[in-house]
Amino acid sequence: MKPTLTIRGFDVFRGYLDAAKQREIVGNLRSVIRTAPLFSPETRWGKKMSVQMTSAGKYGWFSDRRGYRYEEHHPNGGAWPPIPEAILRVWHEVSGLERAPDCCLLNLYRASAKMGMHQDRDEADFSWPVVSISLGDDGLFRIANEERGGKTESIWLQSGDVVVMGGKARLHHHGIDRIRSGTSTLLQNGGRINLTMRVVD
Ligand code: SIN
Ligand code: MN
């Protein structure tokens, strides 16, 4: 399958999920959140992140003053729920990989939330891609370079868009500058959900 566009090596599949699929996935995520409630982690500098997050899969991504890492348990001590089938299907379809991801990180952005520029580098092997699914309100996604600084390019990600961050672009810095509130009615209380699937081990 061909991406709609490639920007800085990130393959963007516009409108990959139709409205019915998006609703199915949001339904699945409700049960994920029931088992593994959303929390707002601290950065390693002790500042609360503006996104709320949780995970599904063998590992969940976690952050506190000790740093960024994957954990086998939710902060409440329970295991992370399994990654829903409909989400795994997207991973296999767009990546073409047989291997399943170990983690699906869920980030919830309410109106004023954002995500600073960062690299996804807490995984053991960067030859596996990261696959991202956007649901709900539009989010302004900024893509930079592997090294810090330099020119950047931005794109509004919309509900149903899928992005594959792999190959040479796997370690490119990226972040979310802002959310455009009220651009989608998919999520009951508004906002944006981003799912990223990763191979961790
Ligand atoms: C992330 O990089 O973890 C999130 C990206 C996004 O929200 O689209
Ligand atoms: Mn990231």
Side-chain angles (χ1 to χ4, degrees):
M1 191 186 324
K2 274 183 54 160
T4 320
L5 70 149
T6 300
I7 143 168
R8 302 252 165 146
F10 285 10
D11 288 332
V12 181
F13 298 81
R14 281 270 189 227
Y16 187 83
L17 300 167
D18 64 21
K21 264 277 166 261
Q22 294 173 37
R23 282 194 296 271
E24 179 190 343
I25 290 177
V26 170
N28 295 157
L29 294 176
R30 275 196 205 103
S31 5
V32 166
I33 291 170
R34 262 197 302 278
T35 313
L38 293 162
F39 56 92
S40 291
E42 283 189 341
T43 64
R44 64 180 100 199
W45 300 279
K47 194 168 177 289
K48 256 206 184 325
M49 291 188 178
S50 60
V51 295
Q52 293 174 272
M53 59 175 66
T54 190
S55 292
K58 180 175 171 196
Y59 297 108
W61 190 84
F62 190 73
S63 163
D64 62 14
R65 284 167 202 249
R66 281 171 44 215
Y68 304 144
R69 61 194 182 270
Y70 286 94
E71 292 280 3
E72 291 195 46
H73 295 92
H74 186 277
N76 73 9
W80 305 101
I83 304 175
E85 270 307 315
I87 296 172
L88 286 175
R89 216 170 297 132
V90 176
W91 162 273
H92 291 295
E93 284 169 6
V94 299
S95 73
L97 294 168
E98 299 251 332
R99 194 203 201 283
D102 299 314
C103 170
C104 174
L105 170 65
L106 184 163
N107 285 132
L108 171 65
Y109 300 76
R110 294 295 187 201
S112 60
K114 52 187 174 223
M115 168 93 53
M117 296 299 281
H118 66 277
Q119 291 171 298
D120 288 3
R121 52 174 316 140
D122 304 313
E123 302 76 28
D125 181 351
F126 303 133
S127 63
W128 300 105
V130 171
V131 172
S132 134
I133 299 176
S134 292
L135 297 163
D137 286 338
D138 300 350
L140 187 57
F141 186 53
R142 190 206 294 249
I143 308 166
N145 312 287
E146 182 162 340
E147 58 287 359
R148 277 179 157 280
K151 284 215 171 89
T152 69
E153 281 175 81
S154 297
I155 176 176
W156 280 101
L157 292 179
Q158 297 168 329
S159 199
D161 290 352
V162 171
V163 182
V164 180
M165 310 186 258
K168 282 199 179 59
R170 174 64 176 74
L171 288 173
H172 279 192
H173 286 78
H174 56 276
I176 292 286
D177 287 342
R178 63 195 160 92
I179 298 307
R180 205 149 52 184
S181 274
T183 42
S184 164
T185 54
L186 181 70
L187 306 180
Q188 248 163 33
N189 300 312
R192 170 175 187 263
I193 286 178
N194 176 260
L195 304 172
T196 41
M197 283 172 275
R198 302 115 185 273
V199 171
V200 172
D201 286 325

